[in-house]
Amino acid sequence: MEKRFAQCLICPACLPVEHSLSLEIRENDGEEVTQGSLRCTGCERVYPVQDGIAVLLSEGQEGLAET
């Protein structure tokens, strides 16, 4: 995930209210975040960034990522 995209993301769990997500980087390759997390500024929910992919699934949707 490119760092610049983090500022465009909002928390899916807080919709219809739009709360931004703050990026916490654990590993990066230049502008590409390979490992980290995105934390909601409203509800404090944390979404992982794994292998460069932001996983923005709410509770109950985790199984959808595996199908």
Side-chain angles (χ1 to χ4, degrees):
M1 181 186 100
E2 290 188 31
K3 291 178 190 177
R4 64 187 172 107
F5 291 132
Q7 65 188 1
C8 301
L9 299 174
I10 59 171
C11 180
C14 289
L15 289 172
V17 178
E18 295 183 4
H19 288 231
S20 62
L21 298 172
S22 65
L23 178 61
E24 299 169 7
I25 301 169
R26 278 187 293 246
E27 292 180 27
N28 67 310
D29 183 12
E31 289 298 309
E32 182 77 17
V33 178
T34 55
Q35 298 292 330
S37 60
L38 294 158
R39 180 179 300 275
C40 176
T41 58
C43 70
E44 298 292 317
R45 184 168 279 141
V46 177
Y47 299 96
V49 177
Q50 302 169 336
D51 298 321
I53 299 170
V55 182
L56 298 175
L57 297 175
S58 299
E59 289 180 29
Q61 292 183 316
E62 289 86 3
L64 295 176
E66 298 169 5
T67 58

